[in-house]
Amino acid sequence: MKRLKMMRQLDAFRETFCAEGFDACIVTANPDLRWLTGWDYTFDSEKAHVALITPDLAFLHTDARYSGVMRSRDTEGIWQINDERISHAACIARVLATLAKVKVGEPLSVFVENDLPLYQYRALEKALNDEAYPGLSKARLVESESLILKLRAIKNPDEIALLRRAQQITDTAFNKLLEWLRPGLTEIEVATELEYLMRTGGADSVAFPSIVASGPNSANPHAVPTTRALAPGDFVVIDFGARYQDYCADTTRTLCIGSPSMQQQEIYGAVLEAHNAAKAFIRPGITGAEAFECANDVLKSHGLSENFLHSLGHGLGLAVHELPRLAAKENTPLVAGNVVSVEPGVYIPDLGGVRIEDCGVVTEKGFESFTTLPHELMVI
């Protein structure tokens, strides 16, 4: 059973790139490697690994800092793990040369992700033209958006369970934060406490640096926490998420310090209406653009669409931003198994901003939220 689970995603990837006409694929992104291998607690933020996947081979070049852990994870012997002290390019070229001998008379077609660092791409090109490997000189490196991203966009039940757990940790931490939160605390203090609560509540780490933006700072969608203290009359936008076994949660709630003004209530009400409309609208078959327009039409009816500065949402999984995208120009239909955020927002300079975000899974019946936090405007 364990081997079947580990092979399922690797085989799906092989089927995909073979259908595209590739002989091999080079993979370097850590979330992609985590998805292909199924190894948790293995990949950190360093770009220290390169995998070469062919129809018959799963080869991973790394270094001695990681190889021991990887071999202990690969109990089924699916991967060839190599930690020779040579460059990734030299190691991959040597393995490709063996493949080239098998495919006589035709140049190899090798897929590379378009986020491969330029220096690595150039090193690969140089290695393929090494006179030691004459059969590789005509090999083609084909760049494109990661084929794995499209496969990762549809979550299996095991992944959905991990995402639910990440969200549960996130929600529990926020509820505890509310018991502690008070005016006078700085944005940095609030962000630090929230991340502490997520980590002590079961998170392996945070999915991304938490956003705590108060008063005029909350008009900046991706504000960085500062030493500004929370003060009466502030909107406070808090965007946060736990990471659990490498899977990410993402949630935003907006609070008010003291009683909200009539204008603040109206803005918050408009964003909540857009949020609820989009969640009710999302289902398999609609596009990301249609989901965006559903929320945007609500905000337009309140005269606030010009203050909606970003997309409606994004996919979640091993990265906090992945496919699918709920954006104005995204025409890819949603399918059951997509996990997405729904996060309309309104941002008004000098006044502040409001964002309300849930994440959940697209099912045959519609959108099922993982987020359990209340949606009404919370007053501190």
Side-chain angles (χ1 to χ4, degrees):
M1 179 62 72
K2 183 177 180 181
R3 182 178 179 85
L4 287 174
K5 284 184 177 181
M6 292 179 72
M7 290 298 296
R8 180 174 53 199
Q9 287 159 195
L10 186 58
D11 286 345
F13 179 50
R14 284 175 166 144
E15 182 179 342
T16 298
F17 75 71
C18 287
E20 295 283 339
F22 297 111
D23 299 299
C25 287
I26 293 172
V27 181
T28 61
N30 286 337
D32 288 345
L33 294 172
R34 165 65 172 86
W35 187 85
L36 281 171
T37 61
W39 303 335
D40 55 8
Y41 303 110
T42 301
F43 300 99
D44 55 21
S45 60
E46 287 204 40
K47 291 182 176 292
H49 330 283
V50 174
L52 177 68
I53 315 297
T54 76
D56 305 307
L57 177 69
F59 179 88
L60 182 58
H61 185 237
T62 184
D63 63 54
R65 294 174 299 168
Y66 302 93
S67 57
V69 173
M70 290 176 173
R71 291 189 177 104
S72 71
R73 298 279 190 266
D74 187 33
T75 56
E76 302 292 334
I78 294 169
W79 288 81
Q80 288 188 26
I81 300 164
N82 182 294
D83 60 3
E84 291 179 78
R85 292 187 174 184
I86 58 176
S87 71
H88 290 318
C91 189
I92 295 301
R94 187 179 66 197
V95 179
L96 281 173
T98 302
L99 183 61
K101 290 178 182 178
V102 176
K103 189 178 179 182
V104 179
E106 295 181 56
L108 289 177
S109 178
V110 182
F111 175 90
V112 295
E113 300 162 323
N114 61 7
D115 62 352
L116 183 73
L118 181 59
Y119 76 91
Q120 285 194 349
Y121 182 85
R122 287 177 172 165
L124 269 171
E125 281 190 314
K126 183 177 180 181
L128 294 182
N129 286 284
D130 191 313
E131 60 184 17
Y133 308 121
L136 289 183
S137 59
K138 294 182 180 180
R140 296 185 305 121
L141 296 178
V142 182
E143 305 165 68
S144 184
E145 185 174 52
S146 173
L147 296 173
I148 302 177
L149 280 178
K150 297 174 184 178
L151 297 173
R152 282 171 45 197
I154 304 174
K155 271 58 181 182
N156 63 44
D158 292 339
E159 291 179 293
I160 290 171
L162 291 173
L163 287 161
R164 286 185 187 277
R165 177 59 180 146
Q167 188 60 54
Q168 182 185 45
I169 294 167
T170 301
D171 290 358
T172 299
F174 187 73
N175 283 326
K176 290 183 178 180
L177 182 80
L178 292 177
E179 299 173 3
W180 169 85
L181 198 62
R182 62 189 183 275
L185 295 168
T186 68
E187 295 169 349
I188 290 174
E189 287 173 328
V190 175
T192 301
E193 179 69 13
L194 180 54
E195 293 183 0
Y196 169 79
L197 289 169
M198 286 189 282
R199 286 176 178 270
T200 57
D204 303 325
S205 62
V206 294
F208 55 93
S210 301
I211 296 171
V212 177
S214 63
N217 293 344
S218 64
N220 303 318
H222 270 209
V224 175
T226 71
T227 56
R228 186 185 187 279
L230 279 56
D234 283 352
F235 269 143
V236 183
V237 173
I238 305 179
D239 191 344
F240 57 106
R243 186 184 297 271
Y244 179 73
Q245 291 188 25
D246 300 318
Y247 282 82
C248 301
D250 189 4
T251 299
T252 308
R253 287 297 184 264
T254 301
L255 316 175
C256 191
I257 306 299
S259 298
S261 68
M262 184 61 67
Q263 184 183 20
Q264 286 176 315
Q265 293 179 56
E266 289 173 352
I267 293 169
Y268 192 92
V271 174
L272 181 57
E273 183 183 342
H275 174 88
N276 288 334
K279 288 199 299 185
F281 180 70
I282 288 173
R283 60 187 182 277
I286 71 162
T287 66
E290 289 170 331
F292 173 85
E293 286 304 326
C294 174
N296 194 49
D297 285 345
V298 172
L299 294 176
K300 190 179 296 182
S301 73
H302 291 275
L304 293 170
S305 64
E306 294 299 316
N307 302 97
F308 184 15
L309 306 180
H310 49 71
S311 66
L312 174 65
H314 53 83
L316 285 149
L318 290 165
V320 75
H321 289 98
E322 55 183 57
L323 297 179
R325 304 181 184 97
L326 307 184
K329 296 182 180 180
E330 184 55 61
N331 294 315
T332 304
L334 297 174
V335 299
N338 289 154
V339 172
V340 297
S341 68
V342 179
E343 50 178 307
V346 164
Y347 310 92
I348 300 175
D350 299 323
L351 174 65
V354 172
R355 183 163 68 253
I356 305 169
E357 177 184 17
D358 289 357
C359 66
V361 62
V362 179
T363 73
E364 294 296 345
K365 295 181 179 179
F367 179 81
E368 180 186 335
S369 180
F370 298 155
T371 310
T372 60
L373 298 174
H375 296 89
E376 67 269 13
L377 179 57
M378 302 176 200
V379 176
I380 303 300

